[in-house]
Amino acid sequence: MLHHHRTRRQRAGHLGYRVGENNDWNLVEVAPADPNPSYLVVDKPGHTLYSVHGDGDVVSFYRIGPAGGLTRLGSQGTGGRNGVHLALSPDGRFALVANYATGSIAVFGRNADGVLGPRRQLLALTGTPGPVTSEQKGPQPHEISFDATGVHLLVPDKGTDRVHRLAFDPRSGEIAVLAEPVETPAGSGPRHLAYHPSLPLAYLVDELSSKLTVYQYHAQTAAMTPAQAMSTLPDGFSGDSTAAEITVSGDGRYLFVSNRGHDSIATFGLDPMGLPLSPSFTSTGGQQPRFMTFDPTGKTLYAANQKSGTIVGLLVDAETGRLSPAGPAIATGTPSSIAFTTAVG
């Protein structure tokens, strides 16, 4: 398993751990990185790691060795600043980067050895800034999400309160506007989304309003029809908090959202129609859970507490969705992303 931290107080780097069956983490690699790494992706074979960098303008890539060590292969300019998310195309031939600060999507060709070629396209997004002037400066894409067809992209745009709908050509890697964006409530700040594994639903979490919205999703046209909306915070909570990450369990029975400020994971049971029930809340045991993801087994959910510098593993009860500690918190730098690979000895 690989995780990296981003920090201005400490030296930025990628940290590699071997994770045992009992949630024991053994450090095997401390690899220098370009400044402020913010998001990681590992390719399907598990041999190449990709990273974008907050406040930076490059995407970097590394070979993962048989023992989990990293060898830097190079980097490419993204044509923008503050890469906050990246995605590989379903066939692995292309990589796409969301430039948060400059409102664009960059496309790169990917060679068979995992190395990225020079940027092939830079698509500038459009939109009017939302009303939260301290947070919404213009187009600020926060995620690139391929749907099940592999030819449509949804891009939540925190800065303009909309979700862009883009077409993707799997032959050339070219992206283009598919249809008008889906508008979200003013000041909501859409951040990330997840799809139901078997139902035609997309779940969108809004960072600034801490709202979860369920959409009927029509994959052939990428049309989104709102079906339900609810808070990711407990009733009566009045403190400062923003929603961050969202994920759905592999069996489609539970949905999880991390809250930064309330410092919790909201667990929503999903009814047979995929609609969320009233949530329960589990502390992440730290501050500012920016990121979370399942391990390869789908049984443990890991949350990265960026401000307090810990990663916590939470076992998911398959029958109730209840979360319980998998073991002690792992003390690390200021973690912002976690990526797993099983292709190591």
Side-chain angles (χ1 to χ4, degrees), residues 5 62 72 164 217 286:
H5 67 269
Y62 305 79
R72 192 177 191 276
H164 300 278
Y217 183 66

Side-chain angles (χ1 to χ4, degrees), residues 10-66:
Q10 304 173 15
R11 183 179 174 185
H14 301 294
L15 279 67
Y17 293 86
R18 187 179 301 277
V19 182
E21 294 182 0
N22 298 317
N23 193 50
D24 52 318
W25 285 38
N26 298 299
L27 184 65
V28 297
E29 172 78 357
V30 180
D34 290 296
N36 207 8
S38 57
Y39 190 80
L40 293 176
V41 166
V42 172
D43 64 357
K44 288 181 180 178
H47 300 313
T48 313
L49 172 75
Y50 301 88
S51 176
V52 288
H53 303 271
D55 306 320
D57 59 2
V58 299
V59 54
S60 53
F61 31 98
Y62 305 79
R63 176 73 65 242
I64 303 171

Side-chain angles (χ1 to χ4, degrees), residues 188-266:
S188 57
R191 180 181 173 94
H192 284 181
L193 60 82
Y195 301 99
H196 193 281
S198 59
L199 298 173
L201 298 173
Y203 304 93
L204 176 70
V205 67
D206 296 328
E207 175 178 336
L208 302 181
S209 65
S210 296
K211 294 288 186 182
L212 168 68
T213 303
V214 185
Y215 291 87
Q216 294 285 341
Y217 183 66
H218 309 278
Q220 296 308 311
T221 60
M224 300 172 66
T225 304
Q228 183 180 352
M230 56 199 311
S231 178
T232 70
L233 295 168
D235 292 341
F237 178 78
S238 59
D240 292 331
S241 191
T242 56
E245 191 58 274
I246 182 171
T247 190
V248 177
S249 61
D251 60 8
R253 296 178 61 191
Y254 306 104
L255 180 149
F256 306 90
V257 175
S258 66
N259 293 307
R260 297 177 296 181
H262 189 250
D263 294 334
S264 66
I265 294 176

